[in-house]
């Protein structure tokens, strides 16, 4: 979550929706912008700032899960704690469809994976549940009036914020997700019903033009 005082806007950073590239573009452009949380949901906007424009990105749920699955397999480096890195890498040591249904590891949490009592407030969120069970509606909260843009329109969203994305950072390869077996497909359709509805509607509109 980034507060951007210069344009009275709150940017919600949904994992694997180009959030890293958009975040860097915003922080380059606006000196007063503050990243107070990495992946806090829209219902966690601090009091007062919840009167500002709020905006985020929505990606096709299977594409997002496939991107996260591959990202976690190579996750590491930087200042990340080794226990945190190991838990995420180990979580994807199984086929994609199996991970999609059965993963129990939370991606974003401020709590110490090494059980040493440490706490990282920048990674706090209101709904620390596994991403394979967390609809993007939980991040975006369309019922609260958050404006959401399709992932394919990321550059247009950047332009509306007055920034330019110079490069897509932390992007995974563009290999398509493998075909899901019936159980995994049914699971995804149930958990990500809202995500499918908004992204597939956008695809239909684009195809009809």
């Amino acid at each position: 979550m980034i507060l951007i005082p210069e344009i009275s806007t709150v940017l919600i950073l949904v994992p694997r929706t180009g959030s890293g590239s958009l975040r860097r573009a915003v922080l380059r452009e606006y000196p007063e912008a503050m990243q107070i949380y990495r992946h806090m949901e829209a219902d966690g906007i601090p009091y007062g700032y919840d009167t500002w424009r709020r905006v985020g990105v929505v990606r096709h749920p299977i594409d997002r899960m496939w991107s996260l699955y591959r990202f976690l397999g190579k996750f590491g480096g930087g200042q990340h704690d080794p226990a945190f890195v190991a838990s995420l890498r180990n979580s994807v040591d199984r086929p994609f469809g199996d991970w999609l249904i059965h993963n129990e590891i939370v991606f974003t949490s401020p709590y110490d994976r090494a059980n040493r009592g440490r706490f990282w407030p920048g990674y706090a969120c209101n709904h620390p549940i596994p991403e394979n069970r967390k609809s993007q509606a939980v991040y975006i909260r369309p019922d609260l009036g958050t404006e959401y843009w399709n992932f394919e329109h990321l550059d247009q969203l950047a332009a509306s914020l007055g920034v330019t994305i110079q490069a897509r950072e932390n992007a995974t390869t563009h290999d398509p997700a493998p075909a899901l077996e019936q159980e995994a497909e049914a699971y995804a359709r149930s958990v990500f019903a809202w995500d499918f509805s908004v992204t597939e509607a956008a695809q239909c509109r684009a195809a009809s033009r």
Side-chain angles (χ1 to χ4, degrees):
M1 176 185 293
I2 301 178
L3 307 180
I4 317 173
E6 292 96 328
I7 55 174
S8 301
T9 298
V10 181
L11 178 59
I12 307 301
L13 302 172
V14 181
R16 308 313 299 166
T17 62
S19 61
S21 300
L22 189 57
R23 173 175 62 91
R24 292 178 181 90
V26 166
L27 295 177
R28 280 194 302 266
E29 181 67 25
Y30 295 109
E32 295 184 20
M34 299 169 284
Q35 181 184 311
I36 55 174
Y37 299 111
R38 186 66 180 93
H39 293 301
M40 175 63 78
E41 307 89 348
D43 60 0
I45 296 174
Y47 176 73
Y49 297 102
D50 53 359
T51 63
W52 288 1
R53 176 194 185 195
R54 60 185 75 191
V55 64
V57 177
V58 175
R59 186 175 186 178
H60 189 279
I62 301 302
D63 291 343
R64 189 173 86 89
M65 289 297 97
W66 177 235
S67 176
L68 179 61
Y69 174 83
R70 289 177 296 164
F71 175 72
L72 295 181
K74 300 179 180 179
F75 183 75
Q79 299 178 345
H80 295 297
D81 183 81
F84 176 59
V85 171
S87 68
L88 294 181
R89 284 193 173 187
N90 292 339
S91 73
V92 293
D93 189 20
R94 63 177 88 181
F96 175 58
D98 185 31
W99 173 84
L100 181 63
I101 298 174
H102 300 294
N103 173 60
E104 298 284 347
I105 301 299
V106 174
F107 178 57
T108 299
S109 171
Y111 298 104
D112 191 354
R113 308 284 172 106
N115 298 316
R116 291 164 56 188
R118 296 170 296 178
F119 185 83
W120 291 273
Y123 287 91
C125 62
N126 283 343
H127 310 279
I129 56 180
E131 292 299 310
N132 55 308
R133 301 181 184 177
K134 191 171 184 177
S135 167
Q136 291 166 91
V138 177
Y139 284 106
I140 296 295
R141 288 299 301 271
D143 58 308
L144 297 179
T146 307
E147 177 186 335
Y148 53 88
W149 294 59
N150 191 277
F151 176 73
E152 282 68 30
H153 299 151
L154 189 63
D155 289 332
Q156 291 94 315
L157 169 58
S160 84
L161 297 173
V163 303
T164 300
I165 295 175
Q166 297 178 357
R168 295 289 179 91
E169 301 180 41
N170 290 330
T172 52
T173 61
H174 296 291
D175 299 334
L180 294 176
E181 295 185 359
Q182 184 175 359
E183 181 184 9
E185 177 73 25
Y187 172 85
R189 289 280 172 181
S190 174
V191 171
F192 302 125
W194 181 84
D195 313 57
F196 276 108
S197 69
V198 298
T199 56
E200 291 183 343
Q203 290 172 349
C204 289
R205 288 194 297 270
S208 65
R209 290 174 184 169

